[in-house]
Amino acid sequence: MEAGLPDRLTRRTAPARTGIVHLGPGAFFRAFQAIYTAEAMAAQGGDWGILAVSLKSPTARDQLESQGGAFTAVELGPEGKSARVIESITGVLVAPENPEAVIAAMADPGVRIVSLTITEKGYCHEPATGRLNRDHPEIRHDLKNPDRPQSAPGFIVAALARRRADGVKPFTVLTCDNLPSNGRLARGIMLDFARARDHDLADWIAAEVPFPATMVDRITPATTPADIEALAASEGYLDPACVMHEPFRQWVIEDDFADGRPAWEVAGAQFVRNVEAHEAMKLRCLNGTHSTLAYLGYLSGYETIAETVADPAFAALCNRLWREEILPTVPRPEGEDLPAYCAALLDRYRNPGIRHRTWQIAMDGSQKLPQRILGTVRDALAAGRVPSGLCLAVAGWMRYVGGLDEAGQAIDVRDPLAAQLRAASDSAQTPAGKVAALLGVAQVFDPALAGDARFRTAVTEAYDALAGQGARATVAAWTSAG
């Protein structure tokens, strides 16, 4: 180590045998599944070590490998911080460097679960339809090169094909991404891919492989260099793999596994027969308002969610959206009080310890909007209600992906469709023209919704207001009219 720098964090205990391969070892996975799994093994043992696989970047491997997979989870409570070391990760692979090693690891009979936090875009699907996007470049590559995949569907199906050929039980595919009916969606995507490769393999997967749905919830802001420096100062070691998280967590899982699972319930996970009501509650109440705050808050000049809801107009925006537009579309999950759940959400948003950037939440909006907001809009319209607040959120997204903020400064739009969305926005000069062009992006808006005159009119009026008086004034006017 350089003089004056603390030593690097290293593993303190022997790793467990690997029983889980996880695709997508980012901050959320480390702040969530890795902690639940560590607590389950501490309480009841079991060979449930996690081999983490990065499908793109070597960053997680570079951070974790020299630490033996250990990392620090820092809880950011209203009263301060607390840190603990988590040691459930047994190793890290970088898929592009050695695709065969990833397939072999997933095909190992000792691996009983393959879990995923790959974000919406990692499923290589059409968000508007939920089907595999056969034209996605990674999917085209993987169908031509099944032994050298690049995508999550390609790796999962390749490993299942090898297990079937070897006479080995399949693993459970456990998706933990914020997608409606995420287990059913993942199953459909994997079967679409498998059918394009081998119909018999697809039939075997359909009959033998469980895809339990889950609902996951924990706010996990991106770790900053200042966070790493503060941890080194307080704990006396350097840990570039550390993660920050709020105190709250909730994991609801359909109890459908091919060959066992960790005792996650001892760490507080809820096992249910059907997770859809919890899923809808979280996607619509939390993720829907999070995205709304991200776009409209960013346009209003707010850097974080806590700063955004400190503005009374934005707190009122959330409360009115929940009361009038979101909760009427959400079935009550067993054991949940929906108004109390929403009140707790606002308290979580206000937590001063959490610096969750509006720009970070705004990423990949073309993939998130259909699940977080447009489903609620469709249900409201079907019930004869025009959800003007959610239409304002859609208009805020449209302004954001136009690439210029209210001061005329460039926005760094991170989205797989960024160029297409910017071109659509730039193709027209009037609010009505820009809205019409963006509603024509079929990967985001299904034709029935895009063609609904009530929706089109409400979004156009909201966009016109945003362009004319700015996001903050528009939000204040909408909330005061309620």
Side-chain angles (χ1 to χ4, degrees):
M1 297 294 296
E2 294 181 30
L5 289 179
D7 290 337
R8 189 81 171 255
L9 171 69
T10 55
R11 175 180 284 277
R12 302 164 184 176
T13 63
R17 289 179 59 187
T18 298
I20 300 171
V21 171
H22 181 82
L23 307 183
F28 181 80
F29 154 73
R30 278 176 260 168
F32 195 79
Q33 295 104 307
I35 295 177
Y36 273 97
T37 303
E39 292 177 4
M41 287 194 291
Q44 294 197 9
D47 296 328
W48 296 111
I50 305 170
L51 175 66
V53 175
S54 174
L55 293 173
K56 304 290 183 189
S57 164
T59 300
R61 188 270 315 280
D62 295 345
Q63 291 175 338
L64 286 161
E65 189 171 56
S66 67
Q67 301 179 180
F71 66 93
T72 311
V74 181
E75 183 174 290
L76 305 175
E79 309 304 322
K81 302 177 183 179
S82 61
R84 60 174 169 157
V85 175
I86 304 299
E87 297 188 336
S88 51
I89 296 174
T90 60
V92 186
L93 295 177
V94 182
E97 295 179 357
N98 193 342
E100 168 56 29
V102 176
I103 296 171
M106 295 164 68
D108 187 307
V111 169
R112 293 180 277 170
I113 296 170
V114 170
S115 55
L116 305 90
T117 50
I118 54 175
T119 76
E120 294 88 346
K121 65 184 176 183
Y123 291 83
C124 304
H125 72 307
E126 296 283 4
T129 65
R131 301 303 300 270
L132 180 74
N133 179 4
R134 292 282 297 271
D135 293 326
H136 192 288
E138 291 182 3
I139 298 302
R140 289 203 308 268
H141 171 275
D142 291 358
L143 290 172
K144 291 178 183 176
N145 305 277
D147 294 326
R148 291 185 292 109
Q150 297 176 343
S151 70
F155 275 106
I156 289 170
V157 172
L160 287 170
R162 187 170 298 182
R163 290 175 82 117
R164 176 172 175 256
D166 292 345
V168 174
K169 261 186 173 183
F171 47 71
T172 297
V173 178
L174 185 70
T175 171
C176 298
D177 284 296
N178 287 315
L179 294 157
S181 305
N182 58 5
R184 184 166 68 243
L185 181 80
R187 183 178 189 272
I189 291 166
M190 302 307 162
L191 289 177
D192 282 348
F193 185 93
R195 287 191 190 99
R197 174 177 162 169
D198 178 343
H199 272 274
D200 289 341
L201 172 62
D203 289 343
W204 181 79
I205 292 172
E208 301 294 334
V209 180
F211 291 83
T214 66
M215 186 273 272
V216 299
D217 189 1
R218 171 166 264 182
I219 295 172
T220 308
T223 301
T224 67
D227 293 326
I228 296 170
E229 291 173 9
L231 180 68
S234 66
E235 303 299 317
Y237 57 75
L238 179 67
D239 179 9
C242 66
V243 292
M244 310 291 124
H245 62 78
E246 67 171 330
F248 180 90
R249 67 182 184 184
Q250 186 177 19
W251 195 5
V252 186
I253 310 168
E254 288 179 354
D255 202 356
D256 181 18
F257 289 78
D259 192 18
R261 59 169 177 78
W264 286 314
E265 65 272 23
V266 302
Q270 301 163 248
F271 284 91
V272 298
R273 285 181 292 180
N274 189 315
V275 77
E276 288 189 4
H278 285 88
E279 207 170 55
M281 175 186 74
K282 195 259 180 169
L283 274 169
R284 296 189 176 194
C285 296
L286 188 153
N287 298 116
T289 53
H290 236 192
S291 287
T292 299
L293 294 170
Y295 297 114
L296 295 172
Y298 183 97
L299 293 170
S300 298
Y302 293 122
E303 184 181 359
T304 69
I305 293 296
E307 291 171 5
T308 306
V309 296
D311 182 331
F314 281 90
L317 171 68
C318 290
N319 282 322
R320 188 177 169 196
L321 285 176
W322 286 321
R323 183 178 67 251
E324 297 181 9
E325 298 188 3
I326 296 175
L327 289 186
T329 75
V330 177
R332 186 178 71 83
E334 183 178 351
E336 296 285 353
D337 178 330
L338 288 171
Y341 176 79
C342 293
L345 283 180
L346 194 55
D347 286 341
R348 292 166 63 192
Y349 294 169
R350 287 173 167 146
N351 180 351
I354 297 289
R355 290 190 53 79
H356 208 175
R357 296 174 67 195
T358 51
W359 177 79
Q360 179 193 1
I361 300 163
M363 291 179 183
D364 303 328
S366 68
Q367 313 296 295
K368 296 173 178 176
L369 213 67
Q371 288 78 34
R372 297 182 172 200
I373 292 176
L374 299 185
T376 314
V377 170
R378 276 192 297 269
D379 286 353
L381 291 170
R385 301 185 302 272
V386 178
S388 58
L390 291 174
C391 291
L392 172 57
V394 174
W397 170 78
M398 289 180 170
R399 283 278 287 171
Y400 182 90
V401 299
L404 294 175
D405 67 17
E406 293 179 359
Q409 299 299 308
I411 300 172
D412 181 9
V413 178
R414 302 288 181 92
D415 191 289
L417 302 182
Q420 181 181 350
L421 296 169
R422 179 66 183 266
S425 179
D426 288 349
S427 70
Q429 298 304 311
T430 66
K434 290 179 180 291
V435 168
L438 286 162
L439 288 178
V441 178
Q443 298 98 314
V444 181
F445 299 98
D446 69 70
L449 180 60
D452 190 303
R454 299 168 296 169
F455 176 59
R456 184 180 293 257
T457 297
V459 174
T460 302
E461 290 174 351
Y463 192 106
D464 191 45
L466 290 171
Q469 59 194 38
R472 202 274 166 193
T474 302
V475 168
W478 186 81
T479 56
S480 64

